Amino acid sequence: MKPFALDHAASPDAALAALGKGATAIAGGTNLIDLMKLQIATPERLVSIRRTGLDRIAPDGDGLRIGALVTNADCAADPRVRQDWPLLSQAILAGASPQLRNRATTGGNLCQRTRCGYFYDTTQACNKREAGSGCAARDGFNRIHAVLGTSDACIATYPGDMAVALLALDAVVLTQGPYGPRQIPLAMFHREPGDDPTRDNVLQPGELITAVRLPAPTGGRQIYRKVRDRASYAFALVSVAVDLTMEEGRIARCALAFGSLGTVPWRDPAVEEVLIGQEPSPALFARAAEVLLHHARGFGANDFKIPLAARALAATLAQATKV
Amino acid sequence: MHLPLSEMYNEPDDRNVLDRMRQGVIGQPLDRPEGALKVSGQATYAAEWRIDGCVEGVLVLAEIAQGQVTAIDRDAALARDGVLAVIADPAMTRRSAQGMAAKAPQQDAAKVEYFGQPVALVVARTFEQARDAAVALRVDYADAAEPVPFDPHAPDVKVEAPSSSKPVEGGDLDQAMRDAAFSVDVEYDTPGHASAAMEPHATIAQWQGDSLILHGSYQMLAYNVKEIADCLGISPDKVRIIAPYVGGGFGSKLGITHEAVAAALAARELGRPVRVVMSRQQVFQTVMRRSETRQRVRLAADAGGRLIGLGHEALVSNLPGEKFAEPVTQATEFLYGGENRLLKVEVARISRLTAGSVRAPGEAVGMQVLEAAMDELAEKIGIDPIELRKRNLPATVPVQGTPYSSRMLTQALEQGAQAFGWSARQDRPCQTRDGDWWVGMGVASAARVNMMVPAQARVTLRADGSALVETDQTDIGTGSYAILGQIAGEMLGLPMARVDVKLGDSALPPGAGSGGSFGAISTGSAVLYACEEIRKRLAKILGCAAEELVLKDGTASHGDAAPRPLRDVLGGEDLTTTGKIKPGKTAKAFSQASYGAFFAEVGVHAFTGEVRVRRMTGVFGFGRVLNAKTARSQCLGGMVWGIGSALTEELAFDTRDGHLVNHDLAEYHVPVHADVPAIEVILLEERDAAASPLQAKGVGELGICGAAGAIANAVYNACGVRVRSFPLTLDKIVPSLPDPFAQTL
Ligand SMILES: Cc1cc2nc3c(=O)[nH]c(=O)nc-3n(C[C@H](O)[C@H](O)[C@H](O)COP(=O)(O)OP(=O)(O)OC[C@H]3O[C@@H](n4cnc5c(N)ncnc54)[C@H](O)[C@@H]3O)c2cc1C
Ligand code: SF4
């Protein structure tokens, strides 16, 4: 860890002012401090945004506005979230541990970095950590890596759970920045690596996430299915978020998002199109999986994710469509 | 007959002295006396001692796997804020000492033998300054002229017979395989494991003149003192180690490792105390690993399901020249019959950190594979796996002909089957479905060799009628404080509140140390002998024979005489003596082992192949139970290790540059609470006089030895997928799973 200065911002404006001068925001610190200890992140100035007052959950029309500093624990326990957007609650509770969720925040969770072991090890080549240095994971131990949205430069996943649920729920990320406020649909928030894996998302320098907005509840059946190596406290190998409504034995509407499968939280409208209007059956689920995984590509140790994703999708759809 | 108390344990002591005592504390499920300190943060662990003027050292690890350090940019480091020294001394270690080495491990850290080997230590005023400077330190290397492979299965790898064990050969195994009515010939892989003890390795070194005091985290102080002294070239009596509380070791703290010597060297150079705490990543990369293994098991059975041949061959690995070779076939030697046999271990010489003892070296991985192969054989024969095991328990050890001291294996299998509800098991896979889960049951035997090592303990019956037990024996979270106190309390007729136990200081008489499940029986026997001597002296004061003496609740009596408080009997004098024991003829005359049986019920997710253990039962016979609570905890903890070994734990090395990819607890997956279901532990009381004068055997490692086999067998029974590569992660199961909709639609 390098020496750094720490300030506390008492308002969003104060935070923005500090960010404008080049400070890095620190929320729960559960990811950033690890990165600093390993000197993967080396900010000289930190601004803590914990006291900016952005830690409230409030109704927003028919929807809900979740402040960027609401902790994962508070968000998952909120009665409105549990009632109307249970998918979000389930996804958060499937992640990390109670200690981490007490500390981790909505904004920080969206910005968490990959868990690629080569990224965290400064003895290894990594284009995400150091542009142009290479990608040691590609021909290495890449069991947890992505099979969709990869590039020659990087094959790392966005590892989180919460964002996968938010993606299925059509959430919008609200920000403030040097160029004013922005509303960024979750689907546009994370970036595929392309030829610049250093940037995980579309936030600009000096931009602050202030909240996440959920649209009106769909009333659908919501399930978050996280497949992992142990029963708790492990990142997903593959996860599936579904929000689905049945009418007269057919799938009337359906939103599906996948975690740890792609380089970003993954949603593919073509998969949903296959399902909508159809009667659920194993053959239908298999067809949806084919569409989803048509372009999937494994790198050796992660090949298994492709059949696994198909099976996880089938399991989740079978559960969600059962009357 | 009263046997003379001999230092060498040459004759089984079947007097069962403890059974004739009156206090009634031995065997009781008493709390650990230091437990409250530990859970309230008041037990001082190695790094937590407050020592005036102490500065902080951080190890610098090699960023290459093999070569020579040619230059270290000391000046740049020393120019940084707070940096006091850069230590790169030829005395620094490059490997860890093996258990009971009692001499220096390989030194000269400038020669790099594996990726992540420590090459230097940076010392600064604060930990943060030291860590920052350690990351920035520039080290130049020259590549090794003759590198060894990173992968034990590389074509050019050198494979050697270990110097530490000889093959066991008998009859003609190949012929037996040909003659067999039923046989299996299978190859299994097990991955490397980390001990992953909760407390990372840490040392505070402080010199007083030419004497060195170390606050550290070690398992075997008497040996560790010699190892450090040898590294520094000083006399062992100049070294004192203080380690009253140790946050787990599991083998990784048997011998000294890098931080201890580096701290001592830095403290000598700077003339002030130096603390070195390893990070979790450093512990994973540098201290000690359990070798991965590739095991071939051949089982040949006659038409009646009796073994006529047994082969167990293993390839393990270690650094060149390192003596330790994971003794994979250790329990296979005595567990089952089959006179035609070949048991053999070979070592591949590779570039990875030192391989050494990790909890239950040998049996932990050998038994899980043997027991999985036995399940395969039972299926072929078409008999119940319990029946197969019971049919194949030999009268004496095959080939050697040694008798068994005691063996509760049949009882464990039978009682476990009853308690677990084994009769509900389906004998074919894919018969039980619970929602999306295939459910199955598996069984395995447990076996772990019993060992005694030399031990001493001093017991003082103080004039006030209380007692003090003193030995350098460590308590690594196992219950040494509790059981040593109970032995003394039982023998001297004292309630536990009147027995003090002082441990973990090398200035005290050398106990056994914590390792190989031998701490309790070895050091406990020394305590017993010391107490017997004190009883003799008391009897003499009272004018009676030692056998007539009754000690209870702090009083002494004999015959019809009224009980007298010990305080009065002692008349202001302390009685003090040191008990000693060494292994003797009983060690060779009998095959000594602790036994048991594991039963597991698992669910395998029909879609995703995730495996979750639903319940487990373990039944164990290990001689006298000294404390039913701490013994149960050991068994339970061992079974949790079995879950990790079966399902999740695996050191992943990158075979391109030899570095360890998953060097923290986020990616090296030990079981978490949610992975550990209801575990039932049943202890069978037994007396094994050949094992120790306590009639107790070792229990610390027994709970792991075979547990993963029971789980793997349950996975097969659930879903019909036999995975011969541990851990049984879902990627290995999914490809062979039956159609998930078979039962649900
Ligand atoms: C052992 C472990 C296991 C974990 N397991 C899981 C898991 O299973 N599933 C899962 O989803 N997550 C998991 N996590 C990740 C955890 O959820 C994240 O670390 C956490 O959500 C980050 O939130 P934070 O508030 O602590 O972020 P910080 O560490 O404070 O910040 C992270 C990043 O976000 C930026 N940032 C924070 N807030 C804002 C804001 N308002 N605007 C702009 N930028 C901002 C920071 O500058 C920093 O770059 C795990 C973490 C650990 C350490
Ligand atoms: S996958 Fe991405 S994060 Fe991992 S090493 Fe390659 S470039 Fe770095």
Side-chain angles (χ1 to χ4, degrees):
Chain A
M1 191 179 269
K2 297 214 164 283
F4 59 89
L6 172 67
D7 290 319
H8 294 270
S11 68
D13 284 343
L16 280 165
L19 294 181
K21 286 187 209 135
T24 299
I26 180 162
T30 59
N31 191 207
L32 185 57
I33 290 182
D34 276 353
L35 295 167
M36 288 170 64
K37 285 183 188 168
L38 298 166
Q39 299 204 5
I40 292 157
T42 51
E44 282 169 13
R45 287 189 54 198
L46 289 183
V47 56
S48 168
I49 54 174
R50 284 164 62 86
R51 298 177 201 158
T52 48
L54 296 170
D55 57 353
R56 259 154 248 150
I57 302 180
D60 184 286
D62 291 340
L64 199 66
R65 194 185 155 101
I66 301 162
L69 275 296
V70 171
T71 65
N72 286 176
D74 285 348
C75 183
D78 186 272
R80 291 160 291 190
V81 173
R82 290 173 56 190
Q83 169 76 36
D84 290 333
W85 297 273
L87 184 61
L88 178 57
S89 197
Q90 290 172 37
I92 291 173
L93 293 177
S97 66
Q99 293 91 329
L100 283 158
R101 295 194 298 266
N102 283 338
R103 189 83 198 165
T105 64
T106 307
N109 194 307
L110 287 175
C111 298
Q112 67 174 290
R113 307 219 64 188
T114 184
R115 306 308 292 193
C116 168
Y118 298 87
F119 170 76
Y120 280 89
D121 188 337
T122 48
T123 68
Q124 301 294 314
C126 170
N127 289 325
K128 191 182 272 304
R129 179 165 29 78
E130 199 183 324
S133 62
C135 172
R138 209 182 161 81
D139 299 319
F141 188 74
N142 49 33
R143 185 170 178 272
I144 61 173
H145 287 70
V147 296
L148 286 169
T150 57
S151 72
D152 286 346
C154 179
I155 61 169
T157 60
Y158 166 83
D161 295 297
M162 184 191 79
V164 181
L166 290 177
L167 179 59
L169 294 171
D170 290 316
V172 175
V173 181
L174 309 183
T175 71
Q176 286 279 350
Y179 312 107
R182 284 211 286 169
Q183 305 198 359
I184 309 168
L186 214 284
M188 315 278 278
F189 183 78
H190 292 99
R191 281 183 77 250
E192 289 182 27
D195 55 12
D196 179 14
T198 58
R199 287 180 56 216
D200 299 346
N201 56 53
V202 299
L203 285 182
Q204 298 293 325
E207 195 168 6
L208 179 73
I209 302 174
T210 54
V212 168
R213 195 175 63 213
L214 291 170
T218 60
R221 187 147 187 203
Q222 302 185 353
I223 296 168
Y224 188 73
R225 178 79 176 86
K226 180 172 177 178
V227 182
R228 46 185 150 175
D229 278 326
R230 61 183 170 192
S232 176
Y233 202 30
F235 286 92
L237 293 168
V238 164
S239 69
V240 184
V242 63
D243 175 6
L244 174 151
T245 309
M246 295 291 288
E247 269 168 25
E248 293 168 4
R250 288 173 186 274
I251 300 171
R253 54 161 289 285
C254 154
L256 271 172
F258 301 84
S260 295
L261 189 62
T263 50
V264 295
W266 201 261
R267 188 164 172 186
D268 184 344
V271 179
E272 294 163 20
E273 275 161 30
V274 170
L275 296 165
I276 291 168
Q278 305 298 316
E279 273 180 39
S281 72
L284 179 70
F285 304 158
R287 215 154 57 238
E290 261 167 49
V291 172
L292 171 70
L293 298 162
H294 187 62
H295 293 295
R297 166 174 179 205
F299 295 87
N302 69 346
D303 292 348
F304 75 96
K305 282 194 177 185
I306 299 171
L308 179 65
R311 301 179 73 105
L313 174 61
T316 316
L317 287 175
Q319 196 185 343
T321 55
K322 221 173 274 168
V323 263
Chain B
M1 241 300 289
H2 193 148
L3 295 165
L5 297 181
S6 112
E7 258 194 52
M8 297 278 278
Y9 198 58
N10 287 331
E11 294 289 330
D13 179 350
D14 54 11
R15 295 172 303 146
N16 292 342
V17 176
L18 283 165
D19 288 326
R20 295 196 273 115
M21 298 293 126
R22 301 286 180 84
Q23 191 60 28
V25 290
I26 200 71
Q28 292 301 307
L30 302 183
D31 289 345
R32 296 195 250 160
E34 82 289 8
L37 289 180
K38 285 179 172 168
V39 296
S40 59
Q42 295 175 81
T44 311
Y45 286 86
E48 298 172 338
W49 293 83
R50 282 175 202 269
I51 290 173
D52 282 346
C54 187
V55 292
E56 312 290 337
V58 169
L59 289 167
V60 179
L61 308 192
E63 301 193 354
I64 63 159
Q66 297 175 70
Q68 184 72 34
V69 173
T70 53
I72 291 181
D73 190 354
R74 274 201 174 74
D75 295 343
L78 288 168
R80 299 174 84 91
D81 251 8
V83 175
L84 301 170
V86 176
I87 310 287
D89 189 300
M92 281 177 70
T93 56
R94 64 171 189 261
R95 299 184 184 180
S96 301
Q98 297 288 351
M100 303 170 92
K103 62 181 172 49
Q106 294 273 348
Q107 291 172 277
D108 187 5
K111 179 174 177 202
V112 179
E113 294 190 297
Y114 55 91
F115 202 107
Q117 177 195 301
V119 292
L121 180 82
V122 175
V123 188
R125 277 176 218 290
T126 70
F127 170 70
E128 287 75 14
Q129 289 167 334
R131 185 173 54 182
D132 184 22
V135 172
L137 187 72
R138 200 176 137 193
V139 182
D140 294 332
Y141 305 92
D143 285 340
E146 287 173 47
V148 295
F150 300 121
D151 178 359
H153 307 299
D156 54 338
V157 83
K158 193 163 156 200
V159 174
E160 296 175 352
S163 55
S164 52
S165 70
K166 283 204 200 76
V168 176
E169 284 175 85
D172 184 340
L173 177 58
D174 291 330
Q175 189 58 44
M177 288 294 286
R178 285 192 290 272
D179 294 346
F182 306 98
S183 67
V184 296
D185 181 351
V186 286
E187 193 173 82
Y188 277 76
D189 279 302
T190 68
H193 292 149
S195 294
M198 184 97 81
E199 180 199 20
H201 297 59
T203 295
I204 303 175
Q206 186 179 16
W207 290 87
Q208 286 176 350
D210 60 354
S211 294
L212 176 65
I213 298 175
L214 297 163
H215 289 91
S217 187
Y218 309 95
Q219 294 179 227
M220 308 190 71
L221 303 192
Y223 301 85
N224 304 141
V225 160
K226 291 181 184 156
E227 287 150 12
I228 286 168
D230 192 21
C231 283
L232 300 173
I234 60 177
S235 161
D237 56 6
K238 296 287 183 198
V239 179
R240 179 173 170 202
I241 298 181
I242 298 168
Y245 306 110
V246 178
F250 310 115
S252 71
K253 296 170 183 171
L254 288 173
I256 57 144
T257 188
H258 318 289
E259 96 293 346
V261 178
L265 289 165
R268 185 157 69 185
E269 181 167 323
L270 289 168
R272 61 194 297 182
V274 174
R275 166 172 36 216
V276 182
V277 183
M278 285 205 218
S279 68
R280 180 67 65 190
Q281 289 88 341
Q282 291 182 331
V283 173
F284 265 89
Q285 285 174 280
T286 71
V287 173
M288 187 74 68
R289 67 184 167 98
R290 187 201 299 287
S291 172
E292 73 297 322
T293 73
R294 177 159 289 174
Q295 304 180 36
R296 180 185 185 193
V297 179
R298 282 180 284 175
L299 301 172
D302 65 16
R306 287 194 176 73
L307 287 169
I308 54 171
L310 194 166
H312 195 175
E313 295 155 86
L315 179 69
V316 303
S317 71
N318 213 336
L319 284 159
E322 198 65 29
K323 280 209 183 81
F324 180 88
E326 181 82 23
V328 175
T329 61
Q330 193 156 263
T332 316
E333 281 186 29
F334 58 81
L335 189 58
Y336 299 125
E339 288 294 327
N340 300 295
R341 54 176 56 207
L342 173 61
L343 315 180
K344 185 168 95 177
V345 175
E346 290 182 312
V347 211
R349 297 303 177 187
I350 60 167
S351 167
R352 288 182 187 176
L353 72 153
T354 322
S357 296
V358 175
R359 196 174 185 186
E363 284 91 332
V365 283
M367 283 292 291
Q368 80 186 50
V369 168
L370 177 64
E371 290 301 289
M374 283 293 277
D375 203 63
E376 297 200 46
L377 181 64
E379 191 193 22
K380 279 210 170 156
I381 303 174
I383 60 172
D384 187 282
I386 294 181
E387 180 54 30
L388 176 66
R389 286 166 173 85
K390 290 200 307 198
R391 265 183 217 178
N392 283 290
L393 303 185
T396 57
V397 175
V399 182
Q400 292 139 1
T402 323
Y404 296 93
S405 62
S406 67
R407 179 177 61 190
M408 297 280 260
L409 181 47
T410 302
Q411 296 89 323
L413 286 163
E414 287 174 353
Q415 206 167 318
Q418 191 77 33
F420 182 75
W422 180 253
S423 58
R425 173 182 177 266
Q426 305 288 329
D427 53 14
R428 281 182 308 120
C430 298
Q431 301 302 301
T432 310
R433 181 94 174 221
D434 178 1
D436 280 348
W437 298 84
W438 295 112
V439 179
M441 296 182 183
V443 68
S445 301
R448 169 71 179 157
V449 292
N450 181 66
M451 291 174 275
M452 178 190 278
V453 303
Q456 301 184 20
R458 182 163 62 226
V459 178
T460 304
L461 182 58
R462 294 184 286 217
D464 67 359
S466 68
L468 173 64
V469 178
E470 296 170 293
T471 153
D472 83 349
Q473 174 68 30
T474 46
D475 186 319
I476 60 170
T478 46
S480 307
Y481 282 103
I483 58 117
L484 297 179
Q486 278 169 281
I487 293 167
E490 191 64 50
M491 292 298 294
L492 300 177
L494 296 173
M496 295 317 299
R498 305 195 66 184
V499 182
D500 295 322
V501 181
K502 208 171 163 231
L503 302 181
D505 182 339
S506 67
L508 300 174
S514 300
S517 302
F518 49 58
I521 66 148
S522 308
T523 312
S525 294
V527 171
L528 181 95
Y529 280 180
C531 291
E532 286 208 79
E533 174 62 26
I534 288 173
R535 289 179 62 92
K536 267 194 219 159
R537 293 193 204 162
L538 279 173
K540 203 167 164 197
I541 296 172
L542 290 167
C544 67
E547 295 80 45
E548 291 175 281
L549 184 67
V550 175
L551 298 179
K552 185 163 169 28
D553 294 332
T555 67
S557 60
H558 63 98
D560 297 335
R564 287 171 59 196
L566 282 174
R567 196 175 347 111
D568 297 351
V569 177
L570 289 164
E573 297 275 329
D574 284 356
L575 295 182
T576 189
T577 187
T578 299
K580 298 178 186 175
I581 193 158
K582 278 185 191 156
K585 289 180 189 150
T586 58
K588 288 258 154 52
F590 297 91
S591 167
Q592 298 178 25
S594 297
Y595 291 91
F598 301 103
F599 295 81
E601 181 184 296
V602 307
V604 180
H605 198 276
F607 287 86
T608 64
E610 289 161 291
V611 179
R612 302 288 181 251
V613 178
R614 292 158 64 108
R615 60 193 183 95
M616 270 182 107
T617 296
V619 187
F620 305 100
F622 45 91
R624 182 192 300 278
V625 178
L626 298 171
N627 176 324
K629 188 182 225 174
T630 57
R632 175 179 177 278
S633 294
Q634 288 300 302
C635 297
L636 209 146
M639 289 162 78
V640 173
W641 272 56
I643 295 173
S645 183
L647 302 180
T648 56
E649 290 185 47
E650 167 169 30
L651 289 176
F653 289 91
D654 190 318
T655 48
R656 297 169 302 174
D657 66 359
H659 90 278
L660 177 59
V661 182
N662 57 344
H663 49 42
D664 62 31
L665 291 171
E667 297 302 333
Y668 180 86
H669 289 153
V670 299
V672 296
H673 287 299
D675 295 302
V676 181
I679 294 184
E680 181 185 21
V681 174
I682 298 170
L683 308 180
L684 304 174
E685 273 290 354
E686 180 191 35
R687 299 287 177 266
D688 190 326
S692 67
L694 306 167
Q695 299 80 39
K697 295 186 279 195
V699 65
E701 297 160 308
L702 180 60
I704 178 174
C705 302
I711 294 168
N713 298 341
V715 167
Y716 177 76
N717 183 245
C719 67
V721 183
R722 181 78 70 182
V723 179
R724 297 201 183 93
S725 163
F726 288 96
L728 278 59
T729 46
L730 58 87
D731 45 307
K732 299 172 188 168
I733 293 174
V734 160
S736 311
L737 278 178
D739 176 8
F741 289 106
Q743 299 285 309
T744 48
L745 284 186

